[in-house]
Amino acid sequence: MALTLGPLLIDAGIDPAQALVIRHAFAQEAEESGLTGLHANSTHAEIFEYTRRQSASTRSFPAVPQRLWVVFIKEGGDQARLWSVVENRGEIDNDGIIRTFDTVETEHMADLRSRLVIGWKSPRAWKMNATTAATYPVMGIADAEPVPFPGFDRLVLSYVQLRAVMREHRYASWRTALSSVFGIYLITDTRDGKQYVGKADGEESIRQRWSIYATNGHGGNVELKGLDPSSFRYSLLRVFDPATPTRDINIAESHFKDALDTRRHGLNRN
């Protein structure tokens, strides 16, 4: 059975009933449209700006468009390559010709950007409900380019990024690096700024510890259960060689809890 777009949307946390699929084409727009069009050398920023500006005619674009827009770029006559997924936060301007929307790029399907190619069954259609596009066949998924490891002291990950690091092939070198060290890490809830200091030692490397967070969001920590991990940010405070005595790691953990005051004003209970 051929793979279709639908399962990839669902796996990325996108409900097809709540999403719009758009296919941009490289073409000059009519002058009266107020749009600038796209060309083969359009930058990412230009494509983003083109996406957020739509016709004021509700015959051309939905009066109340869906929250998520899955955006493709036309490739050949009957295919499209994924550009990105943006969140529509509402219309912010309408001059009678162009409606401008407050849109932001999301991490949905980030691992498939520029890699996923689908067949486009309706060559004259440039937008459609995702429930329709969900039936379109996946023509190919290109191999991902490896992402260089930035170094332990520059590592800051959102929850979505953490999950990607723990499962995607392009982050293989990151997992190797994180497997090689113990350490003290920091989890920040970006909604209120509260922080949690944790450690990985004994039989558990940073990779092993963080893979648990990637799986369930709380890592078994009572303090984090019941919180939404989508707003968490993960970073490393200090790394240790696996030969480091557990006592030294415990001392470092206690120091950072004191320094950041995470027992009184954060998420640590002890």
Side-chain angles (χ1 to χ4, degrees):
M1 182 177 178
L3 177 63
T4 61
L5 177 61
L8 298 182
L9 295 174
I10 294 171
D11 184 62
I14 300 173
D15 179 359
Q18 303 296 323
L20 182 71
V21 174
I22 295 172
R23 184 180 75 159
H24 293 321
F26 295 134
Q28 182 64 43
E29 296 283 347
E31 185 175 348
E32 60 270 18
S33 73
L35 299 171
T36 56
L38 295 176
H39 52 80
N41 294 320
S42 292
T43 65
H44 190 89
E46 289 171 339
I47 297 173
F48 177 81
E49 185 63 22
Y50 182 75
T51 300
R52 68 192 292 262
R53 301 177 74 240
Q54 299 292 336
S55 171
S57 170
T58 55
R59 289 181 297 176
S60 298
F61 199 70
V64 184
Q66 292 89 330
R67 184 177 67 87
L68 292 178
W69 302 353
V70 186
V71 184
F72 289 82
I73 303 294
K74 182 178 180 180
E75 189 160 286
D78 60 356
Q79 294 186 0
R81 185 177 295 273
L82 180 66
W83 173 71
S84 191
V85 179
V86 300
E87 178 185 356
N88 159 36
R89 295 182 174 178
E91 184 179 312
I92 56 175
D93 187 59
N94 186 337
D95 64 5
I97 298 174
I98 295 295
R99 298 161 67 198
T100 302
F101 293 86
D102 177 12
T103 58
V104 293
E105 273 196 89
T106 75
E107 290 298 319
H108 294 293
M109 304 182 81
D111 58 320
L112 294 175
R113 291 174 189 164
S114 299
R115 298 175 56 216
L116 170 65
V117 177
I118 64 171
W120 196 268
K121 297 180 182 179
S122 304
R124 301 178 102 182
W126 63 271
K127 69 178 185 316
M128 63 186 65
N129 293 331
T131 49
T132 298
T135 65
Y136 282 13
V138 171
M139 308 304 293
I141 300 176
D143 289 338
E145 290 292 326
V147 180
F149 182 63
F152 298 116
D153 58 347
R154 298 181 63 186
L155 195 62
V156 180
L157 302 173
S158 68
Y159 182 60
V160 170
Q161 291 170 328
L162 176 68
R163 296 180 68 185
V165 166
M166 292 302 158
R167 69 184 183 189
E168 293 177 20
H169 176 71
R170 59 183 174 147
Y171 292 108
S173 65
W174 297 43
R175 293 192 292 274
T176 298
L178 295 174
S179 294
S180 69
V181 293
F182 293 164
I184 310 302
Y185 57 84
L186 182 70
I187 300 176
T188 301
D189 188 339
T190 58
R191 287 170 302 188
D192 56 17
K194 290 185 177 180
Q195 297 176 316
Y196 175 86
V197 172
K199 66 177 179 178
D201 61 3
E203 299 296 321
E204 197 172 52
S205 66
I206 290 291
R207 175 188 175 179
Q208 291 169 310
R209 188 75 192 112
W210 280 12
S211 68
I212 300 174
Y213 287 114
T215 299
N216 62 25
H218 53 72
N221 302 119
V222 174
E223 301 87 343
L224 303 181
K225 288 182 178 179
L227 299 179
D228 181 1
S230 64
S231 61
F232 287 177
R233 187 177 63 199
Y234 304 80
S235 59
L236 291 171
L237 296 173
R238 185 175 176 183
V239 296
F240 295 92
D241 183 277
T244 303
T246 299
R247 177 178 176 276
D248 292 348
I249 299 176
N250 288 340
I251 291 173
E253 179 190 28
S254 182
H255 163 71
F256 282 111
K257 287 179 180 178
D258 290 340
L260 297 172
D261 204 12
T262 58
R263 293 186 180 94
R264 286 194 307 164
H265 298 112
L267 297 169
N268 287 107
R269 288 192 175 181
N270 55 56

